[in-house]
Amino acid sequence: MKARLLSLCCLLSALLLNLLLTDLAAAAELPVNDEASALVISYHVAPLQRPALRRELEKSGLRQFQRWKNEGILKSYRILFSRYADSDHWDAMALLTFSSSANVERWKILEQTTPGGLTRKALALVRAIHSVPLVLARSNSAAETPANPVFLVIPYLTLVSMGDYLKYADGYVIPQFDGWIGEAVLSQYELWVGSFPAGRPWSAMVILAYQDEAALARRNAVVAKVRARLKEIPEWKAISDNKKSVREEKLVVIADQISFR
């Protein structure tokens, strides 16, 4: 009896150790560091208030974010405005990055008096704000930055562990993105993963910056061209032929970057 119990305890210990090592390996694959920490904030307004929110962001909102960058609170910021009125998604979005946890702390204090980083006039217009901490997982960009890029913001709900999702992204998705850059239609891509995704409608977000309107119009043709070329690579073709359900694509938003007026 004692020998059987001892054997059972050893088996349980081995299983627990294996689970721990698996979790540690998956955690090691996640890109967690202070320099990559970020916050995405989405703003929602009634359709009637969209023009007023855009004017306020162009007039005063950008200057406020630029001031915080000059003060060192923000490492960078990007403000996007959705191209079309659609109550199913956000109207404006701010992507803020921080160079250290100390600056994340400074933003927390700032939020107490300036929710979402908005001016008082902008706050009076919005009806909802959603803030999600993020980590930059993958990115790449072309040598030159276009003057008027067109953005596609694509949220995903991952159906596997984040480690497995990133393996899938590295093997199947990222080669396509790099191919689109090589075809001169894509200027930049960023793959962000949520730091605390539980309860959120999405857990990963891709931001694609297309060179211009003409490049966006070529999207489907270039996707087909790059995939045809990648199918000649056995490793990529194997993933393409046998890919499992690893993510669920949510509503895609076409957006433009807000610039100073």
Side-chain angles (χ1 to χ4, degrees):
M1 184 67 176
K2 289 183 178 180
R4 185 177 298 177
L5 288 175
L6 181 60
S7 176
L8 180 60
C9 288
C10 291
L11 178 60
L12 289 174
S13 297
L15 288 173
L16 289 173
L17 179 59
N18 184 60
L19 288 173
L20 177 61
L21 291 175
T22 300
D23 288 343
L24 288 175
E29 294 168 354
L30 299 181
V32 180
N33 58 73
D34 283 343
E35 292 187 357
S37 63
L39 185 69
V40 63
I41 310 174
S42 58
Y43 311 103
H44 306 255
V45 298
L48 184 64
Q49 303 294 355
R50 277 174 58 88
L53 177 62
R54 180 158 193 155
R55 286 194 301 269
E56 180 60 18
L57 289 173
E58 292 172 338
K59 181 180 177 181
S60 302
L62 281 182
R63 288 177 175 79
Q64 187 158 269
F65 283 107
Q66 183 62 43
R67 184 175 75 251
W68 293 326
K69 181 181 178 182
N70 294 341
E71 293 172 357
I73 298 176
L74 299 178
K75 180 181 179 181
S76 67
Y77 66 90
R78 179 191 296 143
I79 313 298
L80 301 179
F81 203 88
S82 65
R83 180 166 291 187
Y84 309 112
D86 189 337
S87 297
D88 289 332
H89 62 65
W90 45 267
D91 294 285
M93 186 186 83
L95 179 61
L96 315 177
T97 66
F98 306 93
S99 60
S100 69
S101 57
N103 287 323
V104 175
E105 177 75 14
R106 294 173 68 187
W107 179 263
K108 182 196 75 173
I109 296 172
L110 187 150
E111 275 266 4
Q112 296 173 9
T113 55
T114 315
L118 292 182
T119 63
R120 291 180 64 86
K121 188 172 181 180
L123 281 171
L125 298 170
V126 300
R127 58 179 175 82
I129 298 176
H130 299 118
S131 301
V132 182
L134 297 172
V135 175
L136 181 62
R138 306 288 186 267
S139 66
N140 194 11
S141 59
E144 297 183 4
T145 302
N148 297 298
V150 181
F151 290 86
L152 288 189
V153 180
I154 313 172
Y156 293 95
L157 179 63
T158 56
L159 306 177
V160 295
S161 71
M162 191 54 69
D164 286 342
Y165 171 69
L166 291 178
K167 288 180 180 178
Y168 161 81
D170 287 337
Y172 181 74
V173 180
I174 299 302
Q176 295 185 70
F177 290 170
D178 288 333
W180 302 348
I181 289 179
E183 292 293 326
V185 295
L186 199 64
S187 168
Q188 183 183 46
Y189 66 80
E190 297 170 346
L191 169 58
W192 297 86
V193 297
S195 300
F196 307 98
R200 299 284 183 183
W202 56 269
S203 47
M205 180 177 70
V206 169
I207 300 180
L208 304 176
Y210 282 82
Q211 294 280 356
D212 50 29
E213 298 289 344
L216 181 62
R218 294 176 55 206
R219 171 180 167 84
N220 290 338
V222 171
V223 167
K225 179 180 180 181
V226 170
R227 285 182 178 176
R229 186 166 66 237
L230 287 172
K231 284 182 179 179
E232 300 301 318
I233 302 174
E235 294 81 4
W236 188 91
K237 187 176 185 301
I239 299 175
S240 178
D241 291 342
N242 302 291
K243 62 182 178 182
K244 301 175 182 179
S245 297
V246 299
R247 64 182 186 179
E248 179 182 324
E249 185 173 319
K250 298 298 183 178
L251 192 63
V252 177
V253 179
I254 305 176
D256 301 291
Q257 188 162 328
I258 294 287
S259 57
F260 286 102
R261 289 181 61 181

